[in-house]
Amino acid sequence: MTLRKPDPSSFDLTTVEWVVSKHSGGGGNCVRVAVQDGFVLISDSQNPDRLPHVYTPGEAKAWLLGAKDDDFDFLLTL
């Protein structure tokens, strides 16, 4: 059974505790991440009024493991 993702507007974003990477450097390169109701939210801290992207735990885990395995290192050359 596939977990159905809720619409981002259904979350109460005023209660979300965002985490920002220590690698963001405070220079406006901040992608923030949070967990609410069992879903992973990813948002742009420069545009906090925009709705976050919503991912299932499985999707977030697959991306994180891929990043740890260097699958996305091509992004470092941009």
Side-chain angles (χ1 to χ4, degrees), residues 5-43:
K5 293 187 277 189
D7 187 280
S9 65
S10 69
F11 291 101
D12 178 6
L13 299 176
T14 62
T15 64
V16 173
E17 294 184 31
W18 296 102
V19 176
V20 177
S21 170
K22 63 184 174 197
H23 296 281
S24 66
N29 297 321
C30 303
V31 173
R32 57 192 191 164
V33 179
V35 174
Q36 191 172 52
D37 299 334
F39 291 93
V40 178
L41 308 179
I42 299 180
S43 175

Side-chain angles (χ1 to χ4, degrees), residues 54-77:
V54 179
Y55 298 95
T56 65
E59 289 171 325
K61 181 179 179 179
W63 190 90
L64 184 57
L65 291 173
K68 287 183 174 188
D69 284 343
D70 305 325
D71 293 349
F72 309 114
D73 279 4
F74 66 92
L75 295 171
L76 298 173
T77 63

